[in-house]
Amino acid sequence: MRVRDDTPPTPRGIRVALLFALAAHRLSAYYEHGQWLTEAQGTTLAADWLARSKNNLPLAERRRLSGLSDRFARQVASQLSREAGLYTAHEMMEALDPNYQSELAQTLLAACEQQLASDEAGLDNA
């Protein structure tokens, strides 16, 4: 992640960042408490995150991104050992600070962007 960028985020950039943040929180909760956040909890977390960043998305979009983040987080967790999952969750949570630089977080952010693009392509074909 970049040290400082004062350009306003694009609507797509907001969605990718929110997907990443929700996945980070989901993985963190899973590895710390052994439970996955519900879709409703993710939707509420999305509203809180958006409010802190002075952005807003409709409820249906927050629900969609909550569901996407759940699928993405579970996919990541299924591919990692517990120790690697703990490390990954920690890196993602740290990367929510724009001043924190992490190659792993950059890779996962790109994966979130691909996940969003795949989901949107699926919606277009529906």
Coordinates of all heavy atoms in Angstrom, one line a residue, residues 31-112:
Y31 N -9.8 -16.5 13.3 CA -8.6 -17.0 13.9 C -8.5 -16.7 15.4 O -7.9 -17.4 16.2 CB -7.3 -16.6 13.2 CG -7.1 -17.4 11.9 CD1 -7.3 -16.8 10.7 CD2 -6.8 -18.7 11.9 CE1 -7.2 -17.5 9.5 CE2 -6.7 -19.4 10.8 CZ -6.9 -18.8 9.6 OH -6.7 -19.5 8.4
E32 N -9.1 -15.6 15.8 CA -9.1 -15.2 17.2 C -10.2 -15.9 18.1 O -10.0 -16.2 19.2 CB -9.2 -13.7 17.4 CG -8.0 -12.9 17.0 CD -8.1 -11.4 17.1 OE1 -9.0 -11.0 17.9 OE2 -7.4 -10.7 16.4
H33 N -11.4 -16.1 17.4 CA -12.5 -16.6 18.2 C -13.1 -17.9 17.7 O -14.0 -18.5 18.2 CB -13.6 -15.5 18.2 CG -13.2 -14.2 18.7 ND1 -12.8 -14.0 20.1 CD2 -13.0 -13.0 18.1 CE1 -12.4 -12.8 20.2 NE2 -12.5 -12.1 19.1
G34 N -12.6 -18.4 16.5 CA -13.0 -19.6 16.0 C -14.4 -19.6 15.4 O -15.1 -20.6 15.2
Q35 N -14.9 -18.4 15.0 CA -16.2 -18.2 14.5 C -16.2 -17.2 13.3 O -15.4 -16.2 13.3 CB -17.2 -17.7 15.5 CG -17.5 -18.6 16.6 CD -18.6 -18.1 17.5 OE1 -18.6 -16.9 17.9 NE2 -19.6 -18.9 17.8
W36 N -17.0 -17.5 12.3 CA -17.1 -16.6 11.2 C -18.2 -15.6 11.5 O -19.2 -15.9 12.1 CB -17.5 -17.4 9.9 CG -16.4 -18.3 9.4 CD1 -16.3 -19.6 9.5 CD2 -15.2 -17.9 8.7 NE1 -15.2 -20.1 9.0 CE2 -14.5 -19.1 8.5 CE3 -14.7 -16.7 8.3 CZ2 -13.2 -19.0 7.8 CZ3 -13.5 -16.6 7.6 CH2 -12.8 -17.8 7.4
L37 N -17.9 -14.3 11.0 CA -19.0 -13.3 11.1 C -20.1 -13.7 10.2 O -20.0 -14.3 9.2 CB -18.4 -12.0 10.7 CG -17.2 -11.4 11.5 CD1 -16.8 -10.0 10.8 CD2 -17.6 -11.1 12.9
T38 N -21.3 -13.3 10.6 CA -22.5 -13.6 9.8 C -22.6 -12.5 8.7 O -21.9 -11.5 8.8 CB -23.8 -13.5 10.7 OG1 -24.0 -12.1 11.1 CG2 -23.8 -14.5 11.8
E39 N -23.4 -12.7 7.7 CA -23.6 -11.7 6.7 C -24.1 -10.4 7.3 O -23.7 -9.3 6.9 CB -24.6 -12.2 5.6 CG -24.7 -11.2 4.5 CD -25.6 -11.7 3.4 OE1 -25.5 -12.9 3.0 OE2 -26.4 -10.9 2.9
A40 N -25.0 -10.5 8.3 CA -25.5 -9.3 8.9 C -24.4 -8.5 9.6 O -24.3 -7.3 9.6 CB -26.7 -9.6 9.9
Q41 N -23.6 -9.2 10.3 CA -22.4 -8.6 11.0 C -21.5 -7.9 10.0 O -21.0 -6.8 10.2 CB -21.7 -9.6 11.9 CG -22.4 -10.1 13.1 CD -21.7 -11.3 13.8 OE1 -21.3 -12.2 13.1 NE2 -21.7 -11.2 15.1
G42 N -21.3 -8.6 8.9 CA -20.4 -8.0 7.8 C -21.0 -6.8 7.2 O -20.4 -5.8 7.0
T43 N -22.4 -6.8 7.1 CA -23.1 -5.7 6.5 C -23.0 -4.5 7.4 O -22.7 -3.3 7.0 CB -24.5 -6.0 6.2 OG1 -24.6 -7.2 5.3 CG2 -25.3 -4.9 5.6
T44 N -23.1 -4.7 8.7 CA -23.0 -3.6 9.7 C -21.6 -3.1 9.8 O -21.4 -1.9 9.8 CB -23.4 -4.2 11.1 OG1 -24.8 -4.6 11.0 CG2 -23.3 -3.1 12.2
L45 N -20.6 -4.0 9.7 CA -19.2 -3.6 9.7 C -18.9 -2.8 8.5 O -18.2 -1.8 8.6 CB -18.3 -4.9 9.8 CG -16.8 -4.7 9.9 CD1 -16.5 -3.9 11.2 CD2 -16.1 -6.0 9.9
A46 N -19.5 -3.2 7.4 CA -19.3 -2.4 6.1 C -19.8 -1.0 6.3 O -19.2 0.0 5.9 CB -20.0 -3.1 5.0
A47 N -21.0 -0.8 6.9 CA -21.6 0.5 7.1 C -20.7 1.3 8.0 O -20.5 2.5 7.8 CB -23.0 0.4 7.7
D48 N -20.2 0.7 9.1 CA -19.3 1.4 10.0 C -18.0 1.9 9.3 O -17.5 3.0 9.4 CB -18.9 0.5 11.2 CG -20.1 0.3 12.1 OD1 -21.1 1.0 12.0 OD2 -20.0 -0.7 12.9
W49 N -17.4 1.0 8.5 CA -16.2 1.3 7.8 C -16.4 2.4 6.8 O -15.6 3.3 6.7 CB -15.7 0.0 7.0 CG -14.4 0.1 6.4 CD1 -13.1 -0.1 7.0 CD2 -14.1 0.5 5.0 NE1 -12.2 0.1 6.0 CE2 -12.7 0.5 4.8 CE3 -14.9 0.9 4.0 CZ2 -12.1 0.8 3.6 CZ3 -14.3 1.2 2.8 CH2 -13.0 1.2 2.6
L50 N -17.5 2.3 6.1 CA -17.9 3.4 5.1 C -18.1 4.7 5.8 O -17.6 5.8 5.3 CB -19.1 3.0 4.3 CG -18.9 1.9 3.2 CD1 -20.2 1.3 2.8 CD2 -18.1 2.4 2.1
A51 N -18.7 4.7 6.9 CA -19.0 6.0 7.6 C -17.7 6.6 8.1 O -17.5 7.8 8.0 CB -19.9 5.7 8.8
R52 N -16.7 5.8 8.6 CA -15.4 6.3 9.0 C -14.7 6.9 7.8 O -13.9 7.9 8.0 CB -14.6 5.2 9.7 CG -15.0 4.9 11.1 CD -13.9 4.0 11.8 NE -13.6 2.8 11.1 CZ -14.3 1.7 11.2 NH1 -15.3 1.6 12.0 NH2 -13.9 0.6 10.6
S53 N -14.8 6.4 6.7 CA -14.1 6.9 5.5 C -15.0 7.9 4.7 O -14.6 8.3 3.6 CB -13.7 5.8 4.6 OG -14.8 5.1 4.1
K54 N -16.1 8.3 5.3 CA -17.0 9.3 4.8 C -17.5 8.9 3.4 O -17.6 9.7 2.5 CB -16.4 10.7 4.7 CG -16.1 11.2 6.1 CD -15.4 12.6 6.0 CE -15.2 13.2 7.4 NZ -14.7 12.5 8.4
N55 N -17.8 7.6 3.3 CA -18.4 7.1 2.0 C -19.7 6.4 2.4 O -20.0 6.2 3.5 CB -17.5 6.1 1.4 CG -16.2 6.7 0.8 OD1 -16.3 7.5 -0.1 ND2 -15.1 6.4 1.4
N56 N -20.5 6.0 1.4 CA -21.7 5.3 1.6 C -22.0 4.4 0.4 O -21.7 4.7 -0.8 CB -22.9 6.3 1.7 CG -24.1 5.7 2.3 OD1 -24.1 4.6 2.8 ND2 -25.2 6.5 2.2
L57 N -22.6 3.3 0.7 CA -23.1 2.4 -0.4 C -24.5 1.9 0.0 O -24.8 1.8 1.2 CB -22.2 1.2 -0.5 CG -20.8 1.4 -1.1 CD1 -20.0 0.1 -1.0 CD2 -21.0 1.8 -2.6
P58 N -25.4 1.6 -0.9 CA -26.7 1.1 -0.6 C -26.6 -0.2 0.2 O -25.7 -1.0 0.0 CB -27.4 0.9 -2.0 CG -26.6 1.6 -2.9 CD -25.2 1.8 -2.4
L59 N -27.7 -0.5 1.0 CA -27.7 -1.7 1.8 C -27.5 -3.0 0.9 O -26.7 -3.9 1.3 CB -29.0 -1.8 2.5 CG -29.3 -3.1 3.3 CD1 -28.2 -3.2 4.4 CD2 -30.7 -3.0 3.9
A60 N -28.1 -3.0 -0.2 CA -28.0 -4.2 -1.1 C -26.5 -4.4 -1.5 O -26.0 -5.6 -1.5 CB -28.8 -4.1 -2.3
E61 N -25.8 -3.3 -1.8 CA -24.4 -3.4 -2.2 C -23.5 -3.8 -1.0 O -22.6 -4.6 -1.1 CB -23.9 -2.1 -2.8 CG -22.5 -2.1 -3.2 CD -22.2 -3.1 -4.4 OE1 -23.2 -3.7 -5.0 OE2 -21.1 -3.2 -4.8
R62 N -23.8 -3.3 0.2 CA -23.1 -3.7 1.4 C -23.3 -5.2 1.7 O -22.4 -5.9 2.1 CB -23.5 -2.9 2.6 CG -23.1 -1.4 2.5 CD -23.3 -0.6 3.8 NE -24.5 -0.8 4.5 CZ -25.6 -0.1 4.4 NH1 -25.6 1.0 3.6 NH2 -26.7 -0.3 5.2
R63 N -24.5 -5.7 1.5 CA -24.8 -7.1 1.7 C -24.1 -8.0 0.7 O -23.5 -9.0 1.0 CB -26.3 -7.4 1.5 CG -27.1 -7.0 2.7 CD -28.6 -7.5 2.5 NE -29.3 -7.1 3.7 CZ -30.6 -6.7 3.7 NH1 -31.3 -6.7 2.5 NH2 -31.2 -6.4 4.8
R64 N -24.0 -7.5 -0.6 CA -23.3 -8.3 -1.6 C -21.8 -8.3 -1.3 O -21.2 -9.4 -1.3 CB -23.5 -7.6 -3.0 CG -22.8 -8.3 -4.1 CD -23.1 -7.7 -5.5 NE -22.3 -6.5 -5.7 CZ -21.1 -6.5 -6.3 NH1 -20.6 -7.6 -6.7 NH2 -20.5 -5.4 -6.5
L65 N -21.2 -7.2 -0.9 CA -19.8 -7.2 -0.5 C -19.6 -8.0 0.8 O -18.5 -8.7 0.9 CB -19.3 -5.8 -0.4 CG -19.3 -5.0 -1.7 CD1 -19.0 -3.5 -1.4 CD2 -18.2 -5.6 -2.6
S66 N -20.5 -8.0 1.7 CA -20.4 -8.9 2.9 C -20.3 -10.3 2.5 O -19.4 -11.1 2.9 CB -21.5 -8.6 3.8 OG -21.4 -9.5 5.0
G67 N -21.2 -10.8 1.6 CA -21.2 -12.1 1.1 C -19.9 -12.5 0.4 O -19.3 -13.6 0.5
L68 N -19.5 -11.6 -0.5 CA -18.2 -11.8 -1.2 C -17.0 -11.9 -0.3 O -16.2 -12.8 -0.5 CB -18.0 -10.6 -2.2 CG -18.4 -10.7 -3.6 CD1 -18.1 -9.4 -4.4 CD2 -17.9 -11.9 -4.3
S69 N -17.0 -11.1 0.7 CA -15.9 -11.1 1.7 C -15.9 -12.4 2.4 O -14.8 -13.0 2.8 CB -15.9 -9.9 2.6 OG -17.0 -10.0 3.5
D70 N -17.1 -12.9 2.7 CA -17.2 -14.2 3.4 C -16.6 -15.3 2.6 O -15.8 -16.1 3.0 CB -18.6 -14.5 3.8 CG -18.7 -15.8 4.6 OD1 -18.2 -15.8 5.7 OD2 -19.4 -16.7 4.1
R71 N -17.0 -15.4 1.3 CA -16.4 -16.4 0.4 C -14.9 -16.3 0.2 O -14.2 -17.3 0.3 CB -17.1 -16.3 -1.0 CG -18.6 -16.8 -0.9 CD -19.1 -17.1 -2.3 NE -19.2 -15.9 -3.2 CZ -20.2 -15.0 -3.2 NH1 -21.2 -15.1 -2.4 NH2 -20.1 -14.0 -4.0
F72 N -14.5 -15.0 0.1 CA -13.0 -14.8 -0.1 C -12.3 -15.2 1.2 O -11.2 -15.9 1.1 CB -12.8 -13.3 -0.4 CG -11.3 -13.0 -0.7 CD1 -10.7 -13.4 -1.8 CD2 -10.6 -12.3 0.3 CE1 -9.3 -13.1 -2.0 CE2 -9.3 -12.1 0.1 CZ -8.6 -12.4 -1.1
A73 N -12.7 -14.8 2.3 CA -12.0 -15.1 3.6 C -12.0 -16.6 3.8 O -10.9 -17.2 4.2 CB -12.7 -14.4 4.7
R74 N -13.1 -17.3 3.6 CA -13.1 -18.8 3.7 C -12.2 -19.5 2.7 O -11.5 -20.5 3.1 CB -14.5 -19.3 3.6 CG -15.4 -18.9 4.8 CD -16.8 -19.4 4.6 NE -17.7 -18.8 5.6 CZ -18.2 -19.5 6.6 NH1 -17.8 -20.8 6.8 NH2 -19.0 -18.9 7.5
Q75 N -12.1 -18.9 1.5 CA -11.2 -19.5 0.5 C -9.8 -19.3 1.0 O -9.0 -20.3 0.9 CB -11.4 -18.8 -0.8 CG -10.5 -19.3 -1.9 CD -10.7 -18.5 -3.2 OE1 -11.3 -17.4 -3.2 NE2 -10.3 -19.1 -4.3
V76 N -9.4 -18.2 1.5 CA -8.0 -17.9 2.0 C -7.8 -18.9 3.1 O -6.7 -19.5 3.1 CB -7.9 -16.4 2.4 CG1 -6.6 -16.3 3.2 CG2 -7.9 -15.5 1.2
A77 N -8.7 -19.0 4.1 CA -8.4 -19.8 5.3 C -8.3 -21.3 4.9 O -7.5 -22.0 5.5 CB -9.6 -19.6 6.3
S78 N -9.0 -21.7 3.9 CA -9.0 -23.1 3.5 C -7.6 -23.5 2.9 O -7.3 -24.7 2.8 CB -10.1 -23.5 2.5 OG -9.8 -22.9 1.2
Q79 N -6.9 -22.5 2.4 CA -5.6 -22.8 1.8 C -4.4 -22.6 2.7 O -3.2 -22.8 2.3 CB -5.4 -21.8 0.6 CG -6.5 -22.1 -0.5 CD -6.4 -21.0 -1.6 OE1 -5.6 -20.1 -1.6 NE2 -7.3 -21.2 -2.6
L80 N -4.6 -22.2 4.0 CA -3.5 -21.9 4.9 C -3.6 -22.8 6.1 O -4.6 -23.2 6.6 CB -3.6 -20.4 5.3 CG -3.6 -19.4 4.2 CD1 -3.8 -18.0 4.8 CD2 -2.2 -19.4 3.5
S81 N -2.4 -23.0 6.7 CA -2.3 -23.6 8.0 C -2.8 -22.6 9.0 O -2.9 -21.4 8.7 CB -0.9 -24.0 8.3 OG -0.1 -22.8 8.5
R82 N -3.0 -23.0 10.2 CA -3.5 -22.1 11.3 C -2.4 -21.0 11.5 O -2.8 -19.8 11.5 CB -3.7 -22.8 12.6 CG -4.1 -21.8 13.7 CD -4.8 -22.5 14.8 NE -5.1 -21.6 15.9 CZ -6.0 -20.6 15.9 NH1 -6.8 -20.4 14.9 NH2 -6.1 -19.8 17.0
E83 N -1.2 -21.3 11.5 CA -0.1 -20.3 11.7 C -0.1 -19.3 10.6 O 0.0 -18.1 10.8 CB 1.2 -21.0 12.0 CG 1.3 -21.7 13.3 CD 2.7 -22.4 13.5 OE1 3.6 -22.1 12.7 OE2 2.7 -23.2 14.4
A84 N -0.1 -19.8 9.4 CA -0.1 -19.0 8.2 C -1.4 -18.1 8.1 O -1.3 -16.9 7.8 CB 0.0 -19.8 6.9
G85 N -2.5 -18.6 8.6 CA -3.7 -17.9 8.6 C -3.7 -16.8 9.6 O -4.1 -15.6 9.4
L86 N -3.1 -17.0 10.8 CA -3.0 -16.0 11.8 C -2.1 -14.9 11.3 O -2.4 -13.7 11.5 CB -2.3 -16.6 13.1 CG -3.3 -17.4 14.0 CD1 -2.5 -18.2 15.0 CD2 -4.3 -16.5 14.7
Y87 N -1.0 -15.2 10.6 CA -0.1 -14.2 10.1 C -0.8 -13.4 9.0 O -0.7 -12.2 9.0 CB 1.2 -14.9 9.5 CG 2.1 -14.0 8.8 CD1 2.9 -13.1 9.5 CD2 2.1 -13.9 7.4 CE1 3.8 -12.2 8.9 CE2 2.9 -13.0 6.7 CZ 3.8 -12.2 7.5 OH 4.6 -11.3 6.8
T88 N -1.5 -14.1 8.1 CA -2.2 -13.4 7.0 C -3.3 -12.5 7.6 O -3.4 -11.3 7.1 CB -2.9 -14.4 6.1 OG1 -1.8 -15.3 5.5 CG2 -3.6 -13.8 5.0
A89 N -4.1 -12.9 8.6 CA -5.1 -12.0 9.2 C -4.4 -10.8 9.8 O -4.9 -9.7 9.6 CB -5.9 -12.8 10.2
H90 N -3.3 -11.0 10.5 CA -2.6 -9.9 11.1 C -2.1 -8.9 10.0 O -2.3 -7.7 10.2 CB -1.4 -10.5 11.9 CG -0.5 -9.4 12.5 ND1 -0.9 -8.6 13.5 CD2 0.7 -8.9 12.0 CE1 0.1 -7.7 13.8 NE2 1.0 -7.9 12.9
E91 N -1.5 -9.4 9.0 CA -1.0 -8.6 7.9 C -2.1 -7.8 7.3 O -1.9 -6.6 7.0 CB -0.3 -9.4 6.8 CG 1.1 -9.8 7.2 CD 2.1 -8.6 7.3 OE1 2.3 -7.9 6.2 OE2 2.6 -8.3 8.4
M92 N -3.2 -8.4 7.1 CA -4.4 -7.7 6.5 C -4.9 -6.6 7.4 O -5.2 -5.5 7.0 CB -5.5 -8.7 6.1 CG -5.1 -9.6 4.9 SD -6.4 -10.8 4.5 CE -7.6 -9.7 3.7
M93 N -5.0 -6.9 8.7 CA -5.5 -5.9 9.6 C -4.5 -4.7 9.7 O -4.9 -3.6 9.7 CB -5.7 -6.5 11.0 CG -6.9 -7.5 11.1 SD -8.5 -6.8 10.7 CE -8.7 -5.8 12.2
E94 N -3.2 -5.0 9.7 CA -2.2 -4.0 9.8 C -2.3 -3.1 8.5 O -2.1 -1.9 8.6 CB -0.8 -4.6 9.9 CG -0.5 -5.1 11.3 CD -0.4 -4.1 12.4 OE1 0.1 -3.0 12.1 OE2 -0.9 -4.4 13.5
A95 N -2.5 -3.7 7.4 CA -2.6 -3.0 6.1 C -3.8 -2.1 6.0 O -3.8 -1.3 5.0 CB -2.6 -4.0 5.0
L96 N -4.7 -2.2 6.9 CA -5.8 -1.2 6.9 C -5.3 0.2 7.2 O -6.0 1.1 6.9 CB -6.9 -1.7 7.9 CG -7.6 -3.0 7.5 CD1 -8.6 -3.4 8.6 CD2 -8.2 -3.0 6.1
D97 N -4.2 0.3 7.8 CA -3.5 1.5 8.0 C -2.8 1.9 6.7 O -1.9 1.1 6.3 CB -2.5 1.4 9.2 CG -1.7 2.7 9.4 OD1 -1.7 3.6 8.5 OD2 -1.0 2.8 10.4
P98 N -3.1 3.0 6.1 CA -2.5 3.3 4.8 C -1.0 3.5 4.8 O -0.4 3.5 3.8 CB -3.2 4.6 4.3 CG -3.9 5.1 5.5 CD -4.1 4.0 6.5
N99 N -0.5 3.7 6.0 CA 1.0 3.9 6.1 C 1.7 2.6 6.2 O 3.0 2.5 6.2 CB 1.3 4.8 7.3 CG 0.8 6.2 7.1 OD1 0.9 6.7 6.0 ND2 0.2 6.8 8.1
Y100 N 1.0 1.5 6.4 CA 1.6 0.1 6.5 C 1.8 -0.5 5.2 O 0.9 -0.5 4.4 CB 0.8 -0.8 7.4 CG 1.4 -2.1 7.8 CD1 2.3 -2.2 8.8 CD2 1.1 -3.2 7.0 CE1 2.9 -3.4 9.1 CE2 1.7 -4.4 7.4 CZ 2.6 -4.5 8.4 OH 3.1 -5.7 8.7
Q101 N 3.1 -0.9 4.9 CA 3.4 -1.5 3.6 C 3.5 -3.0 3.8 O 4.3 -3.5 4.7 CB 4.6 -0.9 3.0 CG 4.4 0.5 2.7 CD 5.5 1.1 1.9 OE1 6.3 0.4 1.3 NE2 5.6 2.4 1.8
S102 N 2.9 -3.8 2.9 CA 2.9 -5.3 3.0 C 2.8 -5.8 1.6 O 1.7 -5.6 1.0 CB 1.8 -5.8 3.9 OG 1.7 -7.2 3.8
E103 N 3.7 -6.6 1.2 CA 3.6 -7.3 -0.1 C 2.5 -8.3 -0.1 O 1.7 -8.4 -1.1 CB 4.9 -8.0 -0.4 CG 5.0 -8.5 -1.9 CD 6.4 -9.0 -2.2 OE1 7.4 -8.4 -1.9 OE2 6.4 -10.1 -2.9
L104 N 2.3 -9.0 1.0 CA 1.2 -10.0 1.1 C -0.1 -9.3 1.0 O -1.0 -9.7 0.3 CB 1.3 -10.7 2.5 CG 0.2 -11.7 2.8 CD1 0.0 -12.8 1.7 CD2 0.4 -12.3 4.2
A105 N -0.3 -8.1 1.7 CA -1.5 -7.4 1.6 C -1.8 -6.9 0.2 O -2.9 -6.9 -0.3 CB -1.5 -6.2 2.6
Q106 N -0.7 -6.5 -0.5 CA -0.9 -6.0 -1.9 C -1.4 -7.2 -2.8 O -2.3 -7.0 -3.6 CB 0.4 -5.5 -2.4 CG 0.7 -4.1 -1.9 CD -0.2 -3.0 -2.5 OE1 -0.8 -3.2 -3.6 NE2 -0.4 -2.0 -1.7
T107 N -0.9 -8.3 -2.5 CA -1.3 -9.5 -3.3 C -2.7 -9.8 -3.0 O -3.5 -10.1 -3.9 CB -0.4 -10.7 -2.9 OG1 1.0 -10.4 -3.3 CG2 -0.8 -12.0 -3.7
L108 N -3.1 -9.8 -1.7 CA -4.5 -10.1 -1.4 C -5.5 -9.0 -1.8 O -6.6 -9.3 -2.2 CB -4.6 -10.3 0.1 CG -3.9 -11.6 0.6 CD1 -3.8 -11.6 2.1 CD2 -4.7 -12.8 0.1
L109 N -5.0 -7.8 -1.9 CA -5.8 -6.7 -2.4 C -6.1 -6.9 -3.9 O -7.2 -6.7 -4.3 CB -5.2 -5.3 -2.2 CG -6.0 -4.1 -2.5 CD1 -7.2 -4.0 -1.7 CD2 -5.1 -2.8 -2.3
A110 N -5.1 -7.3 -4.6 CA -5.3 -7.6 -6.0 C -6.2 -8.8 -6.2 O -7.1 -8.8 -7.1 CB -3.9 -7.9 -6.7
A111 N -6.2 -9.8 -5.3 CA -7.1 -10.9 -5.4 C -8.5 -10.5 -5.1 O -9.5 -11.0 -5.7 CB -6.7 -12.0 -4.4
C112 N -8.7 -9.5 -4.2 CA -10.0 -8.9 -3.9 C -10.5 -8.2 -5.1 O -11.7 -8.4 -5.5 CB -9.9 -8.0 -2.7 SG -9.8 -8.7 -1.1

